[in-house]
Amino acid sequence: MTAPLAGVRILDFTWVVAGPVTTRLLADLGADVIKVEKKNALDFGDRRAGLSGTLMRGKRSVVLNLGDPRGVDLARRLAAQCDVVIDNFSARVMTNLGLDYETLRALRPDVVCVRMTGFGLTGPDRDHVSYGPTLQALTGYTRLMAEPGGPPAGFGYSYSDIAGGNVGALAVLAALWHRRRTGRGQLVDLAQLEVVASLVGPVLLERAIAGGDSRPTGNASPEAPGAPHGVYRCVGEERWLAITVFGDDDWRRFVAAIGGPAWTRDARFATHEQRLAHAALLDRLVGEWTSAQRAEAAMATLQQAGVAAGLVANAADLCARDPQLAARGHFVDVPTPEGHTVRIDGPPFLLSETPARVRGPGPLLGEHINAVLSELLELPPEEISALRTAGVVG
């Protein structure tokens, strides 16, 4: 079956995480993604697998020295052969290189130029450099992720990079659809600050309009009050179980599932309102029960009784033991040119007629320079060799 983006070629100047997330989705959908890298590119683990491998999967890698005018000239010539040119540098970088939208459009009038900057191409902060954790702080996530009364916390990883990358892929698809209908390319100006701000949720806006503060809720439910409601330590190292009990019916099922210990008959827990009033005591008692339970077994016991409960998964739980992800084939074994396989997470959606798929492992640095320059620019081997000797390509 034909891939949705078969025939689309992308020149990819992105780096770190946000931009590579965008182009890996486009590669999964069948685009030919040519990843432009520098000689000392920053890697995250194994380039075939690991974080670098999963971010770069299915792409072709070329090394160009953009500090050399000859390297920039090669980049321009490659751009003229591509449908999409994308970067996630700060606003000034591509302009300084002479690879801004106006220059690219002169090379190819229907080009889709995607600028995934931290703050956008306009406004007082346009030239600022951003990183995921700073964007999360600026948009309020770091404040909201704290425990009540505690200092700001934040995520254990760069949520904003993943969010910006996914929205970036959507923006590329919209621009390509417009070009298909009209024959015209365009400039996509994506500000990652706006992406993460748009995903905070309406509660932040409501509080701002009302003049109130966005107070962190910790593990409490922001939608409806529940008790017990939180994550509770179980047997083993860093094993936890999330439990939610909202009303009296939930409570009766919970009590029956755990065998009705004496403390569940305490008058302070007789009604939903009383349980909320004594939530701290209730959390301590529930934690004493879970501390003697295996998280997986307790989850199954509570779920079978109709009580909302879920394992707080670690990497092994998610990648090796999750039956739902396994049933849907989310993690795939990808063969490498070296003759072994690497396990990589696949596309997060299934298309019945034009399936997305992992089309190869991450490339080695500069692995495809000969193929790309000979195929797209028709450079002979001796010229490529001379460019390599001169340090223009690698």
Side-chain angles (χ1 to χ4, degrees):
M1 290 180 278
T2 303
L5 294 185
V8 173
R9 186 178 296 122
I10 298 172
L11 192 60
D12 177 7
F13 289 90
T14 67
W15 70 308
V16 192
V17 176
V21 167
T22 290
T23 52
R24 80 169 176 183
L25 281 171
L26 302 175
D28 289 346
L29 290 168
D32 177 14
V33 177
I34 300 170
K35 184 73 177 65
V36 178
E37 303 190 78
K38 57 184 179 179
K39 189 172 183 179
N40 57 340
L42 176 67
D43 291 332
F44 305 102
D46 186 355
R47 286 185 64 95
R48 292 295 192 203
L51 179 56
S52 282
T54 191
L55 289 173
M56 298 274 283
R57 66 193 189 209
K59 305 175 187 179
R60 297 199 281 176
S61 172
V62 300
V63 170
L64 298 181
N65 180 3
L66 297 180
D68 187 310
R70 293 169 293 179
V72 176
D73 179 65
L74 288 173
R76 291 196 184 107
R77 292 168 65 186
L78 288 173
Q81 302 297 318
C82 292
D83 303 283
V84 178
V85 178
I86 181 171
D87 78 277
N88 66 326
F89 301 128
S90 60
R92 62 184 178 273
V93 173
M94 294 296 272
T95 301
N96 291 346
L97 287 171
L99 294 167
D100 55 281
Y101 176 52
E102 293 304 321
T103 301
L104 295 173
R105 187 166 61 168
L107 297 171
R108 178 164 179 157
D110 66 347
V111 70
V112 171
C113 176
V114 184
R115 305 297 315 281
M116 292 179 62
T117 61
F119 299 94
L121 299 179
T122 58
D125 293 337
R126 67 178 299 273
D127 289 324
H128 289 183
V129 176
S130 72
Y131 294 92
T134 56
L135 291 175
Q136 287 154 205
L138 287 168
T139 49
Y141 286 87
T142 310
R143 165 75 167 152
L144 291 172
M145 292 295 290
E147 288 288 342
F155 290 83
Y157 70 102
S158 186
Y159 169 79
S160 63
D161 282 335
I162 307 298
N166 287 333
V167 173
L170 175 62
V172 172
L173 293 175
L176 287 173
W177 182 254
H178 169 264
R179 193 182 77 163
R180 180 178 177 182
R181 290 190 298 107
T182 66
R184 298 195 303 273
Q186 63 180 297
L187 171 65
V188 176
D189 177 4
L190 186 151
Q192 293 179 56
L193 177 75
E194 294 173 15
V195 171
V196 289
S198 73
L199 298 175
V200 173
V203 65
L204 183 64
L205 219 52
E206 291 169 3
R207 288 172 176 165
I209 293 169
D213 190 14
S214 297
R215 299 188 182 278
T217 59
N219 288 321
S221 168
E223 287 82 25
H229 187 295
V231 292
Y232 305 91
R233 187 181 291 277
C234 297
V235 170
E237 184 178 357
E238 292 298 324
R239 303 301 284 169
W240 300 80
L241 182 68
I243 301 173
T244 297
V245 174
F246 282 131
D248 290 334
D249 288 341
D250 283 353
W251 173 251
R252 283 189 285 271
R253 288 192 291 269
F254 173 76
V255 170
I258 68 172
W263 57 264
T264 63
R265 297 188 291 276
D266 190 312
R268 290 172 291 184
F269 307 144
T271 67
H272 180 57
E273 290 71 22
Q274 288 172 303
R275 289 190 295 276
L276 289 173
H278 300 92
L281 172 61
L282 183 55
D283 280 341
R284 180 173 64 79
L285 293 168
V286 171
E288 290 176 1
W289 175 76
T290 59
S291 67
Q293 311 296 318
R294 288 183 58 254
E296 298 88 343
M299 176 181 71
T301 296
L302 293 174
Q303 286 183 354
Q304 288 168 7
V307 177
L311 173 75
V312 179
N314 60 25
D317 293 322
L318 190 69
C319 301
R321 294 192 286 263
D322 190 296
Q324 180 66 19
L325 292 177
R328 290 177 62 81
H330 181 68
F331 295 100
V332 294
D333 292 322
V334 182
T336 72
E338 293 77 26
H340 60 273
T341 60
V342 293
R343 175 151 284 202
I344 294 176
D345 57 310
F349 49 83
L350 301 176
L351 301 174
S352 63
E353 299 301 317
T354 54
R357 64 180 178 84
V358 176
R359 298 172 191 278
L364 301 181
L365 185 63
E367 179 178 354
H368 303 97
I369 187 70
N370 286 17
V372 168
L373 294 183
S374 61
E375 172 190 333
L376 300 187
L377 304 186
E378 299 182 347
L379 297 188
E382 57 272 17
E383 184 173 349
I384 298 173
S385 179
L387 288 168
R388 180 178 285 107
T389 300
V392 178
V393 305

